[in-house]
Amino acid sequence: MASSGKVDGVFRMRSLGTATAGITDQYADGKAAKVWQLYIGDQSSRTQNYKTFLVNLLRQKRVSTIFDTACGTGVDSVMLLEEGFQMTSSDASDKMLKVAHKTRWERRKEASFEDWVIEEANWLTLEDDIEKPAGGFDAVICMGNSFAHLPDFHGDQSDHRKCFENFNSMVKPGGIFIIDHRNYDYILANGKSPAKNIYYNSSHIQDIKTSVLYVNNKPNLITLDYFMNVDAMYADSNQFRLSYYPHTLQGFSSLCREAFGPRAKHTVYADFKPLNVEPEPSFYIHVVEKPL
């Protein structure tokens, strides 16, 4: 696939009205952005699913500065700001960033929020879009299955590799990179997502329908149609579509190793547990420790 237009010509990968340029912003029609907080569910309960894992890991590694490369509406960044970390947050969706900017403004009297840096940025051009501290950030994170939004337009994952090179450049020597993705191995084998979800516990999720697009007999795109049970004020946004590149565990691990090199320590968790403890997780979490 050479272009976003060709993708949509074969299989509509987004809600109508979403900007097509590079498919960098699948939230541009405002639908997903409008109901995203409802989709996520109760934030306090949501963060309890993984807050301890993430915060303990960051503190164990003596992290101070964090770059959230896919902050969306700012849920994870806010959680980490409240824990005392210095945050720089970016996203490709200006619709999602509007919520983050609003939160920063509403909490501007709190020192950590006043200093919160929020930028619109593209993973392919991070070096140009983001000003990093001398040497790099202590930690770079890309959570919530965000990276899978980037399709493989050229059929060789060259864009994916370029993004990982840029992630690596943002991490200081001795720092860590944390990134996750859905269990696409399970989805490809079973035609649907695992029933449980460590991130989202919303009572508004009515159904999620899964479609898989194959190109030359290889899975190239997974599309999820979200059906929400929402109040009348959100009636125009009760359905939305998001599409993802189906990263397998083996393939994603290769991207990590290729970008950070053979000396980097790479650990994979299954729903924040050891791999042998959770055989069918909803998410895989990769932690890469960049060598000095």
Side-chain angles (χ1 to χ4, degrees), residues 73-136:
T73 59
V75 174
D76 289 345
S77 291
V78 167
M79 178 187 76
L80 294 171
L81 283 165
E82 291 174 342
E83 290 296 318
F85 296 101
Q86 300 174 42
M87 296 300 303
T88 295
S89 307
S90 74
D91 203 275
S93 170
D94 62 341
K95 292 289 192 302
M96 302 291 268
L97 285 177
K98 283 182 179 179
V99 180
H101 280 291
K102 183 174 183 290
T103 300
R104 183 178 64 181
W105 173 255
E106 291 173 346
R107 301 184 65 172
R108 64 191 181 280
K109 293 184 179 179
E110 302 173 45
S112 57
F113 283 82
E114 184 181 16
D115 298 332
W116 182 14
V117 177
I118 304 173
E119 301 285 357
E120 185 174 343
N122 188 314
W123 295 323
L124 289 165
T125 56
L126 282 182
E127 289 276 14
D128 297 326
D129 297 344
I130 298 296
E131 183 177 350
K132 64 183 177 182

Side-chain angles (χ1 to χ4, degrees), residues 33-52 54-55 68 71-83 96 99-100 102-104 106-107 113 116 197-204 234:
K34 186 174 182 180
V35 298
W36 195 248
Q37 299 301 115
L38 296 178
Y39 172 62
I40 287 173
D42 179 68
Q43 289 191 30
S44 61
S45 177
R46 173 179 181 256
T47 55
Q48 288 172 9
N49 289 328
Y50 70 101
K51 178 178 179 179
T52 299
L54 187 58
V55 171
D68 183 354
C71 72
T73 59
V75 174
D76 289 345
S77 291
V78 167
M79 178 187 76
L80 294 171
L81 283 165
E82 291 174 342
E83 290 296 318
M96 302 291 268
V99 180
K102 183 174 183 290
T103 300
R104 183 178 64 181
E106 291 173 346
R107 301 184 65 172
F113 283 82
W116 182 14
N197 193 316
I198 58 172
Y199 288 105
Y200 311 126
N201 59 6
S202 175
S203 60
H204 295 280
Y234 296 106

Side-chain angles (χ1 to χ4, degrees), residues 17 51 61 113 136 151 160 188-189 194 207 218 251 260:
K51 178 178 179 179
K61 301 301 179 182
F113 283 82
H160 296 162
L188 292 172
D207 192 17
K218 292 177 59 178
F260 286 84

Side-chain angles (χ1 to χ4, degrees), residues 142-265:
C142 185
M143 305 297 283
N145 190 49
S146 299
F147 188 74
H149 280 305
L150 180 66
D152 179 20
F153 288 130
H154 307 292
D156 57 3
Q157 290 195 267
S158 56
D159 285 345
H160 296 162
R161 291 187 177 88
K162 176 60 177 176
C163 292
F164 267 72
E165 290 174 7
N166 289 338
F167 292 149
N168 177 39
S169 72
M170 291 285 129
V171 183
K172 76 173 188 181
I176 62 172
F177 175 56
I178 308 172
I179 189 168
D180 68 1
H181 58 89
R182 282 183 180 271
N183 184 354
Y184 291 109
D185 294 88
Y186 180 96
I187 295 174
L188 292 172
N190 297 277
K192 61 180 180 179
S193 301
K196 60 185 175 181
N197 193 316
I198 58 172
Y199 288 105
Y200 311 126
N201 59 6
S202 175
S203 60
H204 295 280
I205 302 172
Q206 184 173 332
D207 192 17
I208 301 176
K209 296 188 182 301
T210 304
S211 304
V212 182
L213 174 67
Y214 285 80
V215 177
N216 293 330
N217 207 34
K218 292 177 59 178
N220 187 269
L221 199 72
I222 286 180
T223 293
L224 301 182
D225 287 293
Y226 298 84
F227 297 86
M228 307 286 289
N229 178 16
V230 296
D231 294 336
M233 64 181 295
Y234 296 106
D236 65 331
S237 305
N238 63 349
Q239 298 179 24
F240 61 92
R241 168 175 286 188
L242 296 175
S243 295
Y244 311 94
Y245 181 82
H247 292 283
T248 63
L249 177 58
Q250 181 178 357
F252 207 84
S253 296
S254 295
L255 286 173
C256 291
R257 287 192 293 267
E258 184 177 334
F260 286 84
R263 293 178 51 235
K265 181 181 178 182

